[in-house]
Amino acid sequence: MTRRSFLQTAMNAILTMGIGSLFSSRTAGAVSNDIHHLRQVITKNPNQTRIIQWDSPHLLQDICVELRHAGEQQGRTELFSPAYASLAQDEEAQFIYHAEIPLPAGGGSYRVTHAGGRTAWIPLSQEHSNTNVRALFFSDSQCSERYDVWQQVYHTAWQRHSAADFAAIVGDLTDNGESSWHWCSFFAAMEGAENPLARCIHVPVLGNHEYYGLNWTATPPARYLRTFALPDNGSTEFRGHYYSFDLDNVHFIILDTQFLELGMRGEALKREQLDWLMRDVKGSTAPWKVVLMHKDILSYGEYQTETGITTGISDVGRVFLDIFDALGIDLVISGHVHSYRRRQIRARQTDEHGTLYLLTGPAGNQYFNVPAERYDLAAAPNPAPSNYLYMEADKHQLSIRCEALDGTILDVISLHK
């Protein structure tokens, strides 16, 4: 038996037996034996709707999502029939379900039922009625043989900021995008305790590791695209690769920076995404424009295939820096480098009035020594400790800080309008 097969077999045994001492999802009461990784996923308008999604090894009978309004525990429930897609990868087959449900005014709860069982009722947050947007940003949660560090970072962040409106994971969610063991371990680490995976909105971003096949060469990110039912971007070829949503005063734009991993299709994604980006930002009236993308705008020692450099503006930076200037993007959050850095750039020069670029991570257990770049205004020590970002934004101020797992505040910065 190979090492990968052993790890995969062990995880399957854990899920079958429901060993709460190892992964506490069963103790949280959120899942049944046939419903795995129950999660909330972002929609175009999270003030009004939510995507409820889960995996199952079986095609379930009489499956539905029940929605109960707050204060109506004994009353009538609304029923929503889910759609599903099948996925066969890594010697496993599974069915991935999703249903879009309305968010009741005043809050409510949901559960998933089928002929063989049901989940517990999961609370839904109330409609977002204030103008203060709160968000958690993680990057590079990927781990090698254990996802315990990711588990600690994720749950610690939610414990410190339980009122956050959503959590975004800015690429490299897992170490291998085709591996069932890695995806199962990633989600299992997010379950248990108060189970924010099922209770709160999650915003995924494609990273290069989502493009890795079992042989560690580039392959289409099929598992990622099936795992998350994401807002429509109008694309026929790259649905789910990029999208946007609004939450009160902030317009969030999620981009796919994996042009290299796409090979021959990379140029097509680049052109299509840039055209969409222009239309999308110009169509938004939100005062704050925030971009989430995996690869960074600077090289930090990584060889750039188009220019042959290892320092300065990266290949991805050459694609986006000028258009971000033109569109007046306020904040860009990226990962990939596994370090925290703060930069403020306009016209490819450091400028206190330019776009704020924050590099974050790791949220997992992969630590690197990262060289400095001349644009750096603040930096974590080398190697950077596991960290995440917490943001609050109202109409006139956007504040964000980088917090380490041990509680150290690595950096704080605010933007004003």
Side-chain angles (χ1 to χ4, degrees):
M1 177 181 288
T2 65
R3 171 178 161 274
R4 180 177 64 81
S5 297
F6 170 78
L7 292 172
Q8 180 176 320
T9 302
M11 177 54 69
N12 289 340
I14 288 169
L15 289 174
T16 300
M17 293 184 290
I19 301 177
S21 61
L22 294 178
F23 293 106
S24 56
S25 59
R26 296 292 181 261
T27 63
V31 295
S32 73
N33 288 335
D34 291 320
I35 297 171
H36 300 164
H37 314 317
L38 187 62
R39 53 195 181 269
Q40 281 193 53
V41 180
I42 192 66
T43 64
K44 188 73 174 177
N45 190 343
N47 275 337
Q48 297 182 1
T49 61
R50 301 290 167 81
I51 287 287
I52 308 302
Q53 199 155 12
W54 65 94
D55 309 329
S56 179
H58 311 296
L59 186 60
L60 302 173
Q61 302 299 313
D62 301 324
I63 185 77
C64 72
V65 177
E66 296 186 28
L67 176 64
R68 185 171 65 186
H69 291 243
E72 299 179 5
Q73 293 187 6
Q74 304 301 321
R76 179 180 61 86
T77 60
E78 296 181 72
L79 305 181
F80 298 87
S81 297
Y84 72 88
S86 60
L87 179 69
Q89 278 189 346
D90 194 13
E91 302 175 356
E92 284 191 8
Q94 64 176 325
F95 297 90
I96 304 175
Y97 290 83
H98 77 273
E100 186 167 357
I101 64 172
L103 181 64
S109 56
Y110 75 93
R111 70 179 179 182
V112 179
T113 68
H114 63 101
R118 65 192 62 184
T119 71
W121 286 102
I122 310 297
L124 285 164
S125 59
Q126 296 186 17
E127 181 178 349
H128 198 261
S129 58
N130 61 50
T131 58
N132 194 28
V133 177
R134 298 152 298 191
L136 288 164
F137 302 101
F138 306 94
S139 186
D140 300 281
S141 49
Q142 69 190 86
C143 295
S144 53
E145 296 182 0
R146 297 177 60 178
Y147 278 73
D148 55 335
V149 173
W150 164 234
Q151 183 179 44
Q152 294 173 47
V153 172
Y154 177 79
H155 287 286
T156 298
W158 275 110
Q159 288 163 9
R160 292 173 181 164
H161 306 288
S162 58
D165 298 303
F166 68 87
I169 308 172
V170 190
D172 287 3
L173 287 68
T174 71
D175 207 35
N176 188 288
E178 272 194 347
S179 166
S180 297
W181 182 86
H182 278 286
W183 279 102
C184 191
S185 300
F186 163 75
F187 279 128
M190 300 163 72
E191 296 171 329
E194 295 300 317
N195 200 9
L197 180 64
R199 292 167 60 100
C200 306
I201 302 170
H202 288 75
V203 177
V205 182
L206 270 166
N208 53 297
H209 278 253
E210 278 67 67
Y211 278 82
Y212 289 167
L214 296 177
N215 60 359
W216 297 100
T217 58
T219 189
R223 185 177 290 270
Y224 170 96
L225 295 173
R226 296 286 178 86
T227 296
F228 302 107
L230 296 169
D232 185 24
N233 58 13
S235 174
T236 56
E237 188 175 1
F238 298 108
R239 181 181 174 87
H241 287 250
Y242 58 90
Y243 59 96
S244 66
F245 67 95
D246 284 293
L247 193 59
D248 294 314
N249 291 306
V250 187
H251 182 63
F252 292 94
I253 304 136
I254 287 74
L255 300 177
D256 183 352
T257 56
Q258 279 54 248
F259 311 121
L260 177 63
E261 285 73 20
L262 269 168
M264 298 291 291
R265 299 171 63 222
E267 284 298 319
L269 172 64
K270 191 182 300 182
R271 291 191 301 270
E272 178 181 298
Q273 194 169 219
L274 288 173
D275 288 344
W276 170 86
L277 178 62
M278 294 286 290
R279 299 192 306 272
D280 178 78
V281 174
K282 289 180 178 179
S284 172
T285 59
W288 297 105
K289 309 294 192 301
V290 176
V291 169
L292 309 180
M293 64 186 200
H294 181 61
K295 289 185 179 178
D296 192 58
I297 46 95
L298 300 179
S299 301
Y300 289 107
E302 184 175 55
Y303 178 79
Q304 304 298 304
T305 58
E306 292 185 9
T307 59
I309 63 172
T310 58
T311 188
I313 297 172
S314 67
D315 290 344
V316 166
R318 293 173 186 276
V319 173
F320 289 115
L321 278 170
D322 296 339
I323 194 171
F324 289 164
D325 284 353
L327 293 173
I329 300 299
D330 299 290
L331 170 64
V332 176
I333 297 175
S334 58
H336 186 62
V337 179
H338 296 222
S339 187
Y340 175 79
R341 303 292 166 93
R342 166 162 53 90
R343 298 75 42 92
Q344 208 153 358
I345 300 172
R346 182 167 63 177
R348 307 197 180 193
Q349 300 295 326
T350 296
D351 187 329
E352 64 179 348
H353 301 294
T355 299
L356 176 62
Y357 291 89
L358 296 182
L359 175 63
T360 192
N365 62 6
Q366 302 294 294
Y367 307 104
F368 304 139
N369 284 311
V370 178
E373 289 279 3
R374 68 178 180 87
Y375 295 93
D376 293 344
L377 300 176
N382 256 333
S386 298
N387 64 77
Y388 60 89
L389 302 178
Y390 175 67
M391 184 197 80
E392 291 189 358
D394 60 25
K395 187 175 182 180
H396 300 292
Q397 177 172 296
L398 184 153
S399 298
I400 194 162
R401 65 178 179 258
C402 181
E403 302 180 0
L405 176 59
D406 66 2
T408 301
I409 305 299
L410 299 178
D411 193 26
V412 179
I413 188 169
S414 293
L415 301 176
H416 302 271
K417 285 186 181 291

